[in-house]
Amino acid sequence: MASVLSHTNFPDSVGLVTPQRSTFAQGLDLACGRRLPEFELVYECYGELNSDASNAVLICHALSGHHHAAGYHQEDDKKPGWWDDCIGPGKPIDTNHFYVVSLNNIGGCHGSTGPRSINPATGEVYGPDFPPLRARDWVTSQAMLADLLGISCWAAVIGGSLGGMQAMRWSLEYPQRVRHCIVIAAAMKLSAQNIAFNEIARQAIFSDPEFRQGQYLRDNVIPRQGLSIARMVGHITYLSDDAMADKFGRDLHSGSFAQGAEEQLEFQVESYLRHQGSVFSESFDANTYILMTRALDYFDLAREYGDDPVAAFSHATAAFLVISFSTDWRFSPGRSREIVAALIAARRPVSYAEIEADQGHDAFLLPIPRYCDVFTAYMNRVRSGD
Amino acid sequence: MRQDLTHIKQWIEPGTRVLDLGCGNGEFLLQLQNERQVVGMGLEIDHDNITTAIGSGLNIIEQDMDAGLSNFQDNSFDTVVMAHALQVVHYPDQILEEMLRIGRQAIVTFPNFGHWLCRWHLLIRGRMPVSKFMPHSWYDTPNIHFCTVRDFESLCEDKSIRILHRDMVAQSQRGHWAARLYPSLFAGTAIYHISH
């Protein structure tokens, strides 16, 4: 079951990993009322599942995340998985003790069934016809993966940002299958400002002539410009003002302010954002981006519990760790404190840490010492079986 | 374990819900959990203490009491404890009200500024007391609201707070009888069990 092939060249890492793929022929009834007749999930597993399957941890990914959370696919990979700082031997989610499962959600564009997959009903790619998804659909499909892997109860379900929302949804949908729920840099629902930024991103994609009402794959084109702008807008919301000032300030990438210099100036921050947008537009699917941002916008933990988060969390039986970051303005510490207040009122065991960090929302991906200390301390509790 | 904390335990019923304001590294909560099977939660702001307490399996909320406790519902705990923190908060009177809103009962401990040694310092030397027990200089101290045993009881009277029990701890074992007999002069630490 373990997909770790080699530790030798990657001492602080889970090493080389191979993604796995499973087909779920039974299909999935979605929250929108439609049905996925069958679907595939791509996932990676790190560490060893123990004999009573009590050490399994599920990683839920955020907006643009995927299954490759830790380790390397090839010896010469420049970068490890997206959460390698937190998953691996001796790291907060210690693979010497935990069996870690990380998947690409349905609707994604990294191998699991999504808008780029073939719709069995038509024989063509789903494209814009892929059904809209909610966080609960992801949770349901993740539970089916848990069944397949023989995991009846997760030691912990862990996620940052949109991943944290899935973790919270898990605690309500399958309370008996989650011992600990770790919610990092998340919120119980998006604010108007959050939705507004997502809408700018979607409109950027829609307005790209190459988008072609989402049928760009059929015409063999990509709405690069739209996706790129969408990513640029998103990226700003992941960073803090201070982080951008530190990283770029008003430094110039090209041109000069000297008298007589007519050449167009380019600030470092412009160049950086354009680069990020360009790289993203080559690797991410526009329909997936639209689907994911909408799932984010629609997420409201307490909607079906009379808009009462305390009533919602009363259905949970897990213990919670909530973490926020001081300069995160996308999902600020205040949003995490709302989660904590609801959990306290619902009499759930909960711990909360507010990490001083300059990096904004992105801090949850970074090896910030105090963050890692708190995370590690809590994971030791998870490990002790408490 | 500090002596004031061992005294507190007697007033906490087994199996009840306890909120510890300024719980430090969680040592006391852990004892209460192990010995009295309480359902405990701690508030703390010191980073290392928070990590240690979380690592001990305790439920710890990083929160500054001075920013308010409005995220805690009325009567959501049986006992709210605040040990040796009354003198560091901005509004001790409001914290006391909050403790008795959140909890059915509260337990407060604080250093008695009326202790004879403090009086001696002021009377003879004309200086703010500095001792092993209160090691800070007046200009650089977390202790911004010192009070005496009599001050505290007068505040309780003004706020119609009932004193269910009080206990006094001397600065040394030998002085214990004196602390109980003449707390205003000889109590190093005052311990109050209060309710509305």
Side-chain angles (χ1 to χ4, degrees), chain A residues 187-202:
Chain A
M188 291 189 287
K189 58 185 171 192
L190 265 65
S191 67
Q193 189 192 50
N194 294 145
I195 296 170
F197 277 112
N198 282 344
E199 177 59 6
I200 295 172
R202 285 188 294 266

Side-chain angles (χ1 to χ4, degrees), chain A residues 212-264:
Chain A
R212 312 200 181 177
Q213 270 93 41
Q215 298 290 2
Y216 47 89
L217 287 179
R218 190 184 288 170
D219 298 348
N220 224 358
V221 292
I222 300 175
R224 280 192 186 80
Q225 190 65 18
L227 253 178
S228 180
I229 295 171
R231 181 59 169 180
M232 288 165 76
V233 169
H235 205 91
I236 296 167
T237 70
Y238 305 148
L239 302 175
S240 69
D241 193 14
D242 285 346
M244 290 183 96
D246 276 356
K247 198 164 180 175
F248 312 108
R250 292 176 52 82
D251 295 350
L252 294 179
H253 180 70
S254 63
S256 158
F257 284 112
Q259 289 283 340
E262 201 194 345
E263 185 200 352
Q264 180 66 50

Side-chain angles (χ1 to χ4, degrees), chain A residues 310 319-321 340-341 344-345 347-356 370 373-374 377-378 380-381 386, chain B residues 17 41 43 45-48 50-52 54-63 71-77:
Chain A
V310 181
F320 288 78
L321 171 66
V340 173
I344 294 172
R347 305 202 167 184
R348 297 315 315 146
V350 53
S351 286
Y352 171 60
E354 204 167 298
I355 309 294
E356 285 284 335
R370 183 171 175 241
D373 288 349
V374 169
Y378 193 85
N380 285 338
R381 169 179 173 176
D386 173 23
Chain B
R17 292 172 55 80
M41 176 166 281
L43 243 67
I45 49 172
D46 179 84
H47 293 174
D48 291 337
I50 291 169
T51 305
T52 305
I54 287 178
S56 305
L58 294 165
N59 299 308
I60 303 299
I61 308 295
E62 179 169 348
Q63 185 173 336
N71 53 328
F72 290 90
Q73 294 187 325
D74 296 0
N75 295 312
S76 50
F77 285 84

Side-chain angles (χ1 to χ4, degrees), chain A residues 33 37 49 51 89 106 123 125 136 140 169-170 179 182 197 219 278 290 294 325 328 369 381:
Chain A
L49 187 63
S51 56
I106 51 170
V125 291
R136 71 181 63 247
T140 310
R169 186 57 80 197
W170 255 100
R179 278 204 295 122
I182 301 183
F197 277 112
D219 298 348
S278 160
I290 291 161
R294 285 196 171 135
F325 299 92
D328 183 353
R381 169 179 173 176

Side-chain angles (χ1 to χ4, degrees), chain B residues 5-189:
Chain B
L5 298 180
T6 43
H7 283 239
I8 293 175
K9 270 191 261 177
Q10 57 186 322
W11 298 322
I12 294 175
E13 297 285 324
T16 54
R17 292 172 55 80
V18 177
L19 176 64
D20 187 352
L21 302 178
C23 67
N25 65 10
E27 186 190 9
F28 180 56
L29 267 182
L30 204 58
Q31 267 203 18
L32 284 178
Q33 250 172 235
N34 292 339
E35 294 172 18
R36 305 226 152 204
Q37 291 75 47
V38 302
V39 178
M41 176 166 281
L43 243 67
E44 184 51 54
I45 49 172
D46 179 84
H47 293 174
D48 291 337
N49 278 339
I50 291 169
T51 305
T52 305
I54 287 178
S56 305
L58 294 165
N59 299 308
I60 303 299
I61 308 295
E62 179 169 348
Q63 185 173 336
D64 184 352
M65 283 184 267
D66 280 330
L69 295 168
S70 59
N71 53 328
F72 290 90
Q73 294 187 325
D74 296 0
N75 295 312
S76 50
F77 285 84
D78 296 297
T79 309
V80 182
V81 176
M82 186 168 65
H84 267 265
L86 190 69
Q87 74 279 8
V88 306
V89 297
H90 283 160
Y91 303 101
D93 54 332
Q94 291 176 20
I95 290 273
L96 284 178
E97 298 259 28
E98 280 294 87
M99 289 174 78
L100 289 173
R101 174 186 68 78
I102 296 163
R104 210 165 33 76
Q105 57 172 17
I107 300 169
V108 184
T109 83
F110 57 88
N112 171 31
F113 204 70
H115 191 271
W116 71 269
L117 265 172
C118 296
R119 299 185 190 205
W120 178 260
H121 252 275
L122 277 167
L123 184 70
I124 302 301
R125 302 171 120 190
R127 303 280 308 266
M128 285 296 277
V130 175
S131 65
K132 195 173 73 180
F133 201 55
M134 293 186 253
H136 304 279
S137 297
W138 65 272
Y139 51 82
D140 178 25
T141 173
N143 303 318
I144 54 174
H145 279 120
F146 272 127
C147 70
T148 69
V149 165
R150 283 185 185 154
D151 285 331
F152 183 80
E153 293 191 2
S154 145
L155 175 65
C156 288
E157 201 179 319
D158 291 350
K159 298 236 166 226
S160 308
I161 292 172
R162 272 172 54 206
I163 296 171
L164 303 176
H165 303 95
R166 65 173 202 184
D167 206 346
M168 301 294 158
V169 180
Q171 286 178 14
S172 68
Q173 276 297 335
R174 241 178 9 181
H176 206 62
W177 63 270
R180 283 197 164 147
L181 221 54
Y182 305 105
S184 173
L185 268 182
F186 294 108
T189 297

Side-chain angles (χ1 to χ4, degrees), chain A residues 87-316:
Chain A
I87 304 169
K91 294 176 183 177
I93 305 169
D94 192 337
T95 48
N96 290 326
H97 306 291
F98 292 108
Y99 177 68
V100 181
V101 178
S102 172
L103 79 161
N104 182 216
N105 279 329
I106 51 170
C109 54
H110 292 88
S112 293
T113 298
R116 282 180 180 174
S117 309
I118 301 293
N119 180 353
T122 63
E124 294 184 40
V125 291
Y126 277 106
D129 300 327
F130 195 83
L133 298 176
R134 308 265 178 93
R136 71 181 63 247
D137 297 320
W138 291 328
V139 168
T140 310
S141 62
Q142 290 157 4
M144 292 163 79
L145 178 62
D147 292 339
L148 182 82
L149 297 173
I151 297 158
S152 58
C153 180
W154 297 104
V157 177
I158 305 175
S161 194
L162 176 57
M165 295 169 181
Q166 292 161 58
M168 287 189 281
R169 186 57 80 197
W170 255 100
S171 76
L172 305 187
E173 293 290 302
Y174 298 100
Q176 73 288 359
R177 301 190 71 171
V178 187
R179 278 204 295 122
H180 292 270
C181 183
I182 301 183
V183 182
I184 306 168
M188 291 189 287
K189 58 185 171 192
L190 265 65
S191 67
Q193 189 192 50
N194 294 145
I195 296 170
F197 277 112
N198 282 344
E199 177 59 6
I200 295 172
R202 285 188 294 266
Q203 287 301 330
I205 294 170
F206 294 151
S207 62
D208 187 327
E210 307 282 76
F211 181 63
R212 312 200 181 177
Q213 270 93 41
Q215 298 290 2
Y216 47 89
L217 287 179
R218 190 184 288 170
D219 298 348
N220 224 358
V221 292
I222 300 175
R224 280 192 186 80
Q225 190 65 18
L227 253 178
S228 180
I229 295 171
R231 181 59 169 180
M232 288 165 76
V233 169
H235 205 91
I236 296 167
T237 70
Y238 305 148
L239 302 175
S240 69
D241 193 14
D242 285 346
M244 290 183 96
D246 276 356
K247 198 164 180 175
F248 312 108
R250 292 176 52 82
D251 295 350
L252 294 179
H253 180 70
S254 63
S256 158
F257 284 112
Q259 289 283 340
E262 201 194 345
E263 185 200 352
Q264 180 66 50
L265 289 165
E266 189 182 30
F267 286 101
Q268 284 289 2
V269 66
E270 297 177 276
S271 160
Y272 172 82
L273 280 181
R274 271 209 292 275
H275 174 72
Q276 291 294 326
S278 160
V279 169
F280 188 75
S281 69
E282 296 294 333
S283 62
F284 211 82
D285 182 73
N287 285 316
T288 288
Y289 202 80
I290 291 161
L291 179 154
M292 293 273 182
T293 55
R294 285 196 171 135
L296 253 176
D297 291 357
Y298 299 163
F299 182 80
D300 182 348
L301 189 77
R303 187 190 290 118
E304 70 199 84
Y305 300 91
D307 291 322
D308 179 1
V310 181
F313 280 127
S314 302
H315 293 263

